[in-house]
Amino acid sequence: MNYYLKVLQNYANFNGRARRSEYWYFYLFNLIIAIILGFIGILINSTILSNIYSLVVLIPGIAVAIRRMHDVGKSGWYILIPIYNLILACTDGDKGPNEYGEDPKENQI
């Protein structure tokens, strides 16, 4: 849950690097919340809650994806390449600093 909150606090930061755990935990909690809001929407016969939530997490989701690409040493534009970006998101980040910033694993150990 800390990674999810960290991404939301860093919502418009497209610079730097994001660890795999930060990226995947954000999407895990995002999926869980979206499913819960979907069920609530079915119960109240309205999709307004899930639509608002989707708009709220749109920019943070793009930002963490770009920072994840930076962690593997690629430009943020790589999130537009469908299968390759998934492979990069699963790949371990560069060891040590790269052109996008310091290694986030070294800062958390």
Side-chain angles (χ1 to χ4, degrees):
M1 188 70 169
N2 291 334
Y3 287 118
Y4 181 78
L5 296 175
K6 180 180 176 185
V7 169
L8 291 180
Q9 290 170 351
N10 239 353
Y11 76 96
N13 181 11
F14 295 90
N15 299 318
R17 296 166 62 176
R19 295 177 63 181
R20 278 185 298 183
S21 55
E22 179 181 349
Y23 178 79
W24 289 112
Y25 277 121
F26 172 75
Y27 279 103
L28 173 68
F29 284 108
N30 191 25
L31 178 66
I32 292 169
I33 293 169
I35 289 170
I36 291 170
L37 289 176
F39 282 131
I40 292 172
I42 289 170
L43 292 175
I44 65 172
N45 201 21
S46 174
T47 60
I48 191 74
L49 289 176
S50 59
N51 290 343
I52 290 172
Y53 177 74
S54 296
L55 288 175
V56 167
V57 296
L58 178 66
I59 299 297
I62 293 171
V64 74
I66 289 173
R67 290 195 312 268
R68 180 70 202 126
M69 295 299 110
H70 289 173
D71 191 41
V72 294
K74 301 292 184 185
S75 167
W77 290 104
Y78 278 81
I79 66 171
L80 299 176
I81 304 172
I83 302 299
Y84 189 54
N85 72 7
L86 180 62
I87 294 168
L88 290 175
C90 295
T91 304
D92 195 18
D94 292 345
K95 304 281 188 237
N98 67 12
E99 65 181 294
Y100 299 104
E102 294 294 320
D103 187 356
K105 279 188 177 179
E106 290 178 2
N107 295 339
Q108 294 203 3
I109 295 176

